[in-house]
Amino acid sequence: MDEKQIQILKLLQNGYTYTQIQEALRVSPKVISAVKKAYFPSGKCSNDNTSGTSVRDFPDTSVTIDDKDSPALPEPPQYITNLTHKPKKTKTMSYNHDNYDDDDDDTLASKLEVEKIKIQLAHDLEMEKLRIQSEEKERELDLKERELELRNLQIVQTDRLKEEEKANLLFKVKTFTGTCIDSTLSLEEAEEMLEEAKSLQIECERYCFVNNINFQGRDTQMLLSAIIKDLYEFIDEFDEEEWESMDIEFDPIIRKTLARMKFSNF
């Protein structure tokens, strides 16, 4: 039995706890446990708060181990003699008799740090998702605004083209009907005027149909129809063998209509 074991035995006999012995002798609980098992086979000693302790091969300290010959016990720490004093708990060691781990606190700290990192990463990931979603919504909104603006521009452009087409068509009608006055025409001139009148009438009908305008009964429709009617009659009466040209008189309604029309609409 070495000096350290003798000291452990004495402290166990005197009722010191594992923690007190560890602090006093700076030994691990495994060493204390080994000494206790070797010399207290029943697993009980005076620090178990029981009587009738059984000691195996433990030398009688009154005979074999003289107090003056045995090594001096170390001075117990303050908390051993002062029961009201609570020892400070060490950071790196956790004593639980035979089971302990010097790195328990470090492991716990590492786990907490890992958890903090995981939480931070999850937070960062969620924030990134929200940022991407926000940017996508902004892009979608911007795209919709652009599409709406483009549609409005297309509508404006279409309306402008329609107005231009309408103005050009009415100008052609005005110019043509201005030539339909009482005069002398040859058969060829009459036929050319008839074709032009019919062509203008078709263009006006097409424009009104496309733009959902009722052409029938409009001033332009009645004016062109009257001109076409007079030209058909002129061509039917024209005698090519007798005349090279012939006087034509248009219906008076044509002059009245031309006098009040502004050609701003059909």
Side-chain angles (χ1 to χ4, degrees), residues 157-171 207:
Q157 180 71 7
T158 301
D159 291 342
R160 186 178 64 82
L161 292 175
K162 288 180 180 179
E163 288 299 318
E164 289 180 357
E165 183 181 3
K166 175 184 175 181
N168 290 334
L169 188 54
L170 290 172
F171 180 76
Y207 179 88

Side-chain angles (χ1 to χ4, degrees), residues 1 3-16 21 25 35 40 46 58 60-62 65-68 70-73:
M1 178 181 297
E3 179 180 329
K4 185 72 72 175
Q5 290 174 332
I6 293 173
Q7 292 174 342
I8 292 171
L9 286 172
K10 278 186 169 292
L11 291 176
L12 287 172
Q13 275 193 318
N14 291 333
Y16 290 108
I21 297 172
L25 301 180
V35 172
F40 294 93
S46 54
F58 181 68
D60 185 356
T61 55
S62 63
I65 301 177
D66 193 350
D67 288 342
K68 66 180 179 179
S70 64
L73 292 175

Side-chain angles (χ1 to χ4, degrees), residues 63-259:
V63 178
T64 60
I65 301 177
D66 193 350
D67 288 342
K68 66 180 179 179
D69 295 331
S70 64
L73 292 175
E75 184 69 22
Q78 183 179 359
Y79 69 84
I80 294 178
T81 57
N82 185 4
L83 297 179
T84 61
H85 175 74
K86 294 183 180 180
K88 293 183 179 180
K89 183 179 286 188
T90 59
K91 289 185 177 180
T92 58
M93 296 185 66
S94 175
Y95 301 121
N96 186 15
H97 297 291
D98 293 339
N99 299 320
Y100 76 101
D101 188 350
D102 292 341
D103 297 328
D104 279 350
D105 289 343
D106 291 341
T107 302
L108 179 60
S110 298
K111 289 181 178 179
L112 291 176
E113 188 64 27
V114 170
E115 289 299 319
K116 287 173 61 179
I117 294 173
K118 287 182 179 179
I119 293 172
Q120 184 63 42
L121 289 175
H123 173 74
D124 293 343
L125 179 60
E126 188 64 25
M127 294 301 295
E128 182 65 15
K129 288 180 179 179
L130 293 175
R131 184 187 66 80
I132 293 174
Q133 291 175 358
S134 177
E135 290 180 353
E136 289 178 351
K137 289 181 179 180
E138 289 180 0
R139 284 195 295 269
E140 290 176 359
L141 181 59
D142 184 59
L143 181 60
K144 289 180 179 179
E145 290 178 351
R146 291 184 181 181
E147 289 176 350
L148 180 60
E149 182 179 357
L150 180 59
R151 283 198 296 268
N152 291 335
L153 289 174
Q154 289 174 341
I155 292 172
V156 171
Q157 180 71 7
T158 301
D159 291 342
R160 186 178 64 82
L161 292 175
K162 288 180 180 179
E163 288 299 318
E164 289 180 357
E165 183 181 3
K166 175 184 175 181
N168 290 334
L169 188 54
L170 290 172
F171 180 76
K172 288 168 67 175
V173 173
K174 180 181 179 181
T175 301
F176 171 74
T177 54
T179 63
C180 298
I181 58 176
D182 297 345
S183 59
T184 301
L185 297 175
S186 65
L187 180 61
E188 184 178 355
E189 290 173 337
E191 288 175 345
E192 288 177 357
M193 287 184 69
L194 177 60
E195 290 301 320
E196 187 174 356
K198 290 166 64 178
S199 177
L200 282 172
Q201 189 177 49
I202 291 173
E203 286 187 58
C204 291
E205 287 178 348
R206 181 194 60 80
Y207 179 88
C208 291
F209 177 78
V210 170
N211 294 283
N212 198 26
I213 299 173
N214 185 15
F215 185 59
Q216 295 297 321
R218 297 273 181 165
D219 289 341
T220 305
Q221 187 267 335
M222 293 188 295
L223 181 61
L224 291 173
S225 295
I227 292 172
I228 290 171
K229 175 178 174 293
D230 289 344
L231 288 171
Y232 267 125
E233 291 177 355
F234 176 82
I235 292 171
D236 289 341
E237 294 175 359
F238 195 90
D239 189 349
E240 292 184 84
E241 295 180 356
E242 294 187 14
W243 308 304
E244 291 182 359
S245 62
M246 187 172 69
D247 293 337
I248 182 171
E249 293 183 2
F250 288 98
D251 191 329
I253 193 66
I254 295 174
R255 288 191 297 272
K256 291 180 181 180
T257 304
L258 287 172

